[in-house]
Amino acid sequence: MLEQQSNKKQFSKNEIKIIIIFIALILGGLMYWLLISPQYRKLKTAQIDLELSQQDFQLKNQQLADLQEVQTSYQQLNMNDLNKLDAILPSKQDVPEIVLQMKTIVEKSGFILSAIEINESKVDTKSKEVVHPELGILKVDLKLAGGDYVRFKKLLDNFETSLPLVDIQTISFPQTLDSFNLNLQTYYLMQN
């Protein structure tokens, strides 16, 4: 009988050991869930933030390098190059200069300038044409007399190689073939 009671005590000691192990596992899991898991999540979030910051840093460094390259290129330009750029795309609207340039191109091509009309063009926001907001447009209408086909080709070549940027929009020939009209656009940088 004494043996049965000692078996019961051993069994209860085994049960106690199992219960203690079970409680220890529950406490361990609870500690992980309450203490370690939030810290792990914070660490993962910090790691992702660090990676994003590094990517942003690399992007900013690339932008800085690009800007430094542009600055170096600009500093290497001499005054002659800057004057050419200003002749191609003037920094202001200079109607007398445009009249003089158009007259020179026309006469150089062997035509007579009968009439010239210059108007500032407003950018049509509904138009499909993309125009930079700092770019001003002047519409130039020329009425030319004289000349022949060879001179006409020379006129187009002269407009193509002229220093102010010029886009020929339309060419119209009236019924009397002694003259024709040229509608073109030239550009300038608007001052802010």
Side-chain angles (χ1 to χ4, degrees), residues 31-119:
M31 285 178 54
Y32 174 79
W33 186 67
L34 291 175
L35 299 175
I36 297 173
S37 180
Q39 295 302 322
Y40 180 75
R41 277 185 257 138
K42 283 182 186 177
L43 182 64
K44 277 298 196 186
T45 303
Q47 187 179 16
I48 291 170
D49 288 345
L50 177 64
E51 288 173 3
L52 290 174
S53 295
Q54 287 174 340
Q55 289 174 357
D56 190 42
F57 179 72
Q58 289 173 350
L59 179 66
K60 297 290 184 199
N61 274 342
Q62 182 61 41
Q63 289 174 342
L64 178 62
D66 292 345
L67 283 174
Q68 288 172 338
E69 185 179 325
V70 168
Q71 182 181 18
T72 303
S73 297
Y74 179 76
Q75 290 171 346
Q76 290 175 352
L77 288 175
N78 60 30
M79 280 307 284
N80 190 30
D81 293 336
L82 292 174
N83 289 337
K84 282 181 184 178
L85 286 173
D86 192 50
I88 292 170
L89 190 62
S91 58
K92 63 182 180 194
Q93 177 181 348
D94 191 3
V95 174
E97 180 66 25
I98 291 173
V99 170
L100 181 63
Q101 290 171 343
M102 295 300 140
K103 185 174 189 247
T104 303
I105 291 170
V106 168
E107 289 176 352
K108 182 178 164 184
S109 303
F111 286 93
I112 299 168
L113 181 61
S114 303
I116 185 169
E117 184 180 332
I118 299 176
N119 296 309

Side-chain angles (χ1 to χ4, degrees), residues 1-11:
M1 194 139 178
L2 215 43
E3 278 181 35
Q4 280 184 328
Q5 286 180 348
S6 80
N7 278 343
K8 284 185 181 182
K9 286 182 183 176
Q10 281 183 346
F11 187 69

